[in-house]
Every structure is written in structure tokens, then in C-alpha cells.
Amino acid sequence: MLRSARVLPLCLKRLSQCRQLTSTPLTIPAKTQGVLPTSQSAIVSKMQFFNSVTPDGSQIPTYRVIDGSGKPIEGAEVPEITEELARRLYEYMQLLPTLDNLLYNVQRQGKISFYMTSYGEEATVIGSAAALAPDDEVLGQYRESGVLLWRGFGLSNIMSQCFGNEDDTSSKGRQMPVHYSSKEHHFHPISSPLTTQVPQAAGVGYALKRDPARRDKNIAVVFFGDGAASEGDFHAGLLLASTIPSPTLFIARNNGFAISTPSTEQYYGDGIAARGPGYGVDTIRVDGNDVLAVMNAVTEGKRRCLEGGRAVLIEAMSYRVSHHSTSDDSFAYRPRSEVEDRKRIDNPISRFKLYMESRGWWSEEEDEALKTRLKKEVMDAFKKAEVRKRPELGEMFKDVWGGEEPWMIKEQREELGALLKKYGETWEPWRNELAKFKDNGKKLLE
């Protein structure tokens, strides 16, 4: 009773103080008025719906340096390139269709199983390659062989990978054509599933940021198409690289089609560039048929990646004048006349050629000589790769696991060896196929 008598007055006093506090108007400091916990945006009294990342509701502009006739547009900042660099850019842009023409026809002859070309996207690929450092980490999709060629991968390695022969440094004959890779050239292995490289690139960028020797020097660069940007992995990768964050440059090749689906049926918003601001990353849309504009955009994009330590998004607008692959007939879903018009009206190679001619750096005679030389080089590489045998059959079981070889790999190799001993000499289809391998598969039988 004595304790309760002492506590009760104290409780009544506290209750009186609480009533005084609740009856006193709450004064919010002027600095914090209207500020929400997760936003610094202004508070307004009227509803404002919006559907654009530009203040006036217009589409995102497309950055360009030279027009279709090769002339710099008014106010454009033309990069200061030497005649030597211009010639190299043009040579590699011409090399891509020369290579594509031959390998496309080789696939039609049944000599390789599959192929994808870079027709119409030469400026995007070569312009990007020229703006990057040789040791920037590149994660390609399917049409970036030009990056490898620019870095010195060589035509022989391209051909050997497509044929899957014993000289295939990318995958030892175990991957389908156009799935290149080269640790030496900082080009990560290409995967067939769509968009897997995008979140991987964010992780590569983060690893570079954690490396004291590379964090202020190198970035991760990932190429992908407009169809890949419709996949969930695109959003996962961009979210990771913008929030962790990591110096990752996202280059979207918007060539108008995801196989047979036109971009108009892939999204309702303003292209892929409109998504960048939603993740808080610097974004630009560039004319992908203008090699100088691509060079400028990628150069600045890399600078921002290193300076800010986070992602940058570039949307390169182009047009896929080829079929999606050798498994596709694009004339089933678009008119042939449209494709022919785009080849003629806004060809990225012709545009840069006109620019070079206007500077006195190129002539028709030099053009014909270059085309003749490139055809010979491509044909020589093809003839060499065509006659090379496939790797030793047992290679398919190597480099699959790191460390100690697991039991299932041993079991599979032994099972194949037993089948070869039983049928390899007696069954003609197997006998003919084994003749294509180095050592005719005999090493596996040992």
C-alpha cells in the first residue's frame, strides 16, 4: 500500500505532461517540410501524371555527328582522329561483311551448323571497340566479333571456332559457331541463352571496382539487343550495377527486331534509353550507324563509369539488314523492299566512306584494293580452317569441372569408350564421324 501511494502521484504527473505535449501544435523545421523519407522530390497539390523522361514530353533525342552523306551536322563535336585511325576503322567495318558473306554461304553449304551476321551494325560494334581499352572486360551477345577482331583475335581464330576444329581456342570445338571467347583479349564466353551476360557484367564491373590495380582504369562492357532488354535479366543487371554500384557500360543494340518481333511490339515506351533514368544511371541514345558518334558516346560513357563508379546506358539505334541468323527468313515478317532501302539509304559503311573521301583520306581505287585484299585474307583463313580436324574426342570431358574430376565424368568417358570399342569400327556412320577427329578417337580407347 505504501509503495502504491508513492507511485500513483508520479503516474498522474506523467499523464498531465503527456496531455500537454499532445495539445501543443507540432512545428516542422522549414528545411524538412515536404520531404518524404525516401524522396527529395517537391510536394505539389495537383495530380501530375507523366509518361516521358523529357520535361516537354518529347522523345529522347538521338546523338549524331555525321549525316547520311558523311558531312558533320551543325554544332557537332567531331572527334580528333588521325587519318591512320580513320583508315583502320573503315577497314574493320569492311572486314565484317566480307567475313559474314563467306561464313553465311559456308553454312548454307552445310560446312558449319549455324551463323549470325553483323550486317547493318558495323559502326556500333567497331566504334565501340575503338573507344575502349584493350583490357576493358567485354561480355558480348552474338554480333560482336568485330570487338575481337579489333583487339587482334585474328581471322584464323574466328574460322576455327565456327568450324570447331583442333585450333579452336574459344571452346575446343565444344560450342556452336559464333560463341567466341578469349581470356587474352578480355572477351568473356558467349552464352546461347538470352541476356545471361547482362547481370554477369554487373558482377564483373563490381569485381573491377574491388581490384585496386584496375578500379580507376577498367570497366565492364556488355552488349545486348532490344529483345534481350525485354528480359528480366536486363532489369536485374541494371539494378545491380546502379545500386551496388559498379562501373559497367550497358550498350543496347536496338536494331529494330528481336528475331521476328519488331521493336514496336516489344515495348510501348520510348525505347530502351527511357529505362535508364528509372535506375538512376546516365543514359544517351546514339545513332548506331554513325561510327564517330558511337566512339564519342562510348568514350564519354566509360569516363562517367570510372568517375561515378556506377552504370551507364547507351542505346545505339540501327537496323538489322540481315536475317536474324541462318535459321531465320526475315522476309516472312518484313518486306524485302524495306531491307533493300535501308541497305542503300543509311549504310554505316558508306556513310563513313563519304566522310573519309571528303577529308581526302580515301579513294575508289583504294576501296577496290581493300575489298580485294580482305576477300583473299578471309578466304585463306577459311581454307586453312576447313581442312583441320576436330579436337581429340576426349576433350569433351576436360575443363568441365575444376579440381578433382567427379565420378560422373569418369563414368561417361568410360561408357563412350566402351561404345566406341563395340561399334566404332563396325558401324559406318560412327566410323565416318570418328575420322573427322584428331587421332580418330583412338586416344579415348586407351
Side-chain angles (χ1 to χ4, degrees):
M1 288 293 293
L2 291 174
R3 183 177 181 185
S4 298
R6 290 196 300 268
V7 172
L8 183 58
L10 181 61
C11 290
L12 292 173
K13 182 179 179 181
R14 298 287 190 198
L15 180 60
S16 176
Q17 290 174 343
C18 289
R19 284 173 177 169
Q20 290 177 6
L21 286 172
T22 56
S23 62
T24 303
L26 181 63
T27 302
I28 301 175
K31 286 185 178 180
T32 60
Q33 286 185 11
V35 177
L36 301 176
T38 59
S39 173
Q40 299 296 316
S41 64
I43 301 298
V44 296
S45 59
K46 295 182 179 180
M47 289 190 293
Q48 295 181 6
F49 287 86
F50 59 92
N51 192 19
S52 174
V53 297
T54 59
D56 60 354
S58 61
Q59 286 193 320
I60 299 168
T62 300
Y63 170 64
R64 173 182 284 181
V65 173
I66 55 176
D67 61 22
S69 62
K71 297 178 181 178
I73 65 174
E74 185 177 355
E77 183 179 341
V78 181
E80 296 182 3
I81 61 174
T82 63
E83 178 179 349
E84 181 183 6
L85 177 56
R87 285 173 171 267
R88 186 168 184 234
L89 287 168
Y90 184 71
E91 176 176 333
Y92 278 89
M93 288 173 69
Q94 279 284 13
L95 175 59
L96 289 181
T98 307
L99 178 67
D100 287 343
N101 281 336
L102 183 136
L103 285 174
Y104 192 92
N105 290 328
V106 164
Q107 192 280 333
R108 287 294 186 248
Q109 296 168 15
K111 295 181 178 180
I112 62 175
S113 61
F114 179 82
Y115 194 68
M116 298 181 81
T117 72
S118 305
Y119 293 135
E121 300 176 64
E122 296 88 353
T124 297
V125 175
I126 299 302
S128 299
L132 298 170
D135 55 350
D136 284 329
E137 303 295 332
V138 173
L139 291 88
Q141 192 174 26
Y142 315 126
R143 307 182 193 278
E144 288 79 38
S145 60
V147 177
L148 276 168
L149 289 168
W150 181 269
R151 292 183 172 189
F153 188 64
L155 286 170
S156 292
N157 280 326
I158 293 286
M159 291 290 179
S160 294
Q161 196 285 321
C162 288
F163 276 94
N165 65 29
E166 59 188 304
D167 297 326
D168 174 19
T169 59
S170 294
S171 57
K172 298 182 179 181
R174 292 176 293 190
Q175 259 286 23
M176 63 188 296
V178 307
H179 286 54
Y180 313 108
S181 66
S182 175
K183 184 176 180 180
E184 176 188 353
H185 299 94
H186 299 270
F187 194 95
H188 293 237
I190 291 173
S191 300
S192 293
L194 194 64
T195 329
T196 56
Q197 77 276 16
V198 174
Q200 292 168 359
V204 172
Y206 186 60
L208 290 172
K209 189 175 183 177
R210 289 175 57 85
D211 186 345
R214 303 185 69 183
R215 67 166 59 111
D216 298 320
K217 177 187 175 187
N218 295 120
I219 64 171
V221 185
V222 57
F223 291 87
F224 54 96
D226 44 290
S230 298
E231 295 285 323
D233 280 351
F234 164 79
H235 298 281
L238 210 58
L239 178 64
L240 174 62
S242 64
T243 55
I244 292 299
S246 71
T248 307
L249 182 61
F250 294 79
I251 302 179
R253 297 179 289 93
N254 193 340
N255 62 21
F257 294 92
I259 307 183
S260 59
T261 306
S263 57
T264 52
E265 296 179 16
Q266 295 176 55
Y267 49 77
Y268 186 68
D270 185 10
I272 299 164
R275 304 172 197 177
Y279 290 102
V281 302
D282 293 345
T283 304
I284 188 172
R285 174 177 288 161
V286 62
D287 181 351
N289 289 343
D290 180 353
V291 67
L292 299 182
V294 172
M295 282 182 62
N296 277 352
V298 174
T299 299
E300 177 62 15
K302 176 178 177 177
R303 186 192 69 79
R304 289 172 181 253
C305 279
L306 291 174
E307 188 176 274
R310 66 177 63 247
V312 170
L313 173 63
I314 297 176
E315 181 182 21
M317 310 302 291
S318 61
Y319 185 86
R320 195 196 77 208
V321 297
S322 66
H323 304 301
H324 174 261
S325 70
T326 49
S327 302
D328 173 49
D329 177 12
S330 67
F331 299 136
Y333 52 83
R334 61 180 180 176
R336 185 185 295 267
S337 59
E338 175 184 311
V339 177
E340 295 302 322
D341 286 344
R342 292 303 294 261
K343 284 182 181 179
R344 184 180 67 259
I345 294 172
D346 197 16
N347 186 297
I349 299 176
S350 298
R351 186 193 294 195
F352 191 56
K353 176 187 173 184
L354 291 170
Y355 171 76
M356 291 180 63
E357 289 175 343
S358 70
R359 298 290 301 269
W361 291 348
W362 202 245
S363 67
E364 282 298 328
E365 292 75 15
E366 289 174 303
D367 205 57
E368 289 302 317
L370 174 65
K371 290 178 181 178
T372 300
R373 175 170 64 83
L374 293 179
K375 286 179 181 178
K376 183 180 184 306
E377 291 176 358
V378 169
M379 183 58 71
D380 288 346
F382 159 69
K383 290 179 179 179
K384 177 184 175 183
E386 182 186 24
V387 297
R388 299 290 285 174
K389 286 200 170 187
R390 296 174 186 172
E392 193 271 314
L393 187 57
E395 286 287 348
M396 73 168 71
F397 300 104
K398 298 178 182 178
D399 307 323
V400 180
W401 294 80
E404 184 179 355
E405 186 178 67
W407 65 269
M408 73 280 284
I409 297 295
K410 294 179 181 178
E411 185 179 271
Q412 291 168 12
R413 184 172 57 247
E414 290 170 0
E415 183 179 3
L416 178 59
L419 289 170
L420 289 176
K421 287 179 180 178
K422 187 173 183 179
Y423 301 110
E425 292 296 328
T426 59
W427 194 32
E428 186 177 356
W430 273 28
R431 190 168 62 248
N432 294 339
E433 196 67 19
L434 283 170
K436 299 176 183 178
F437 288 88
K438 189 176 180 181
D439 297 330
N440 292 1
K442 291 180 180 178
K443 192 172 182 180
L444 191 65
L445 302 176
E446 296 175 357

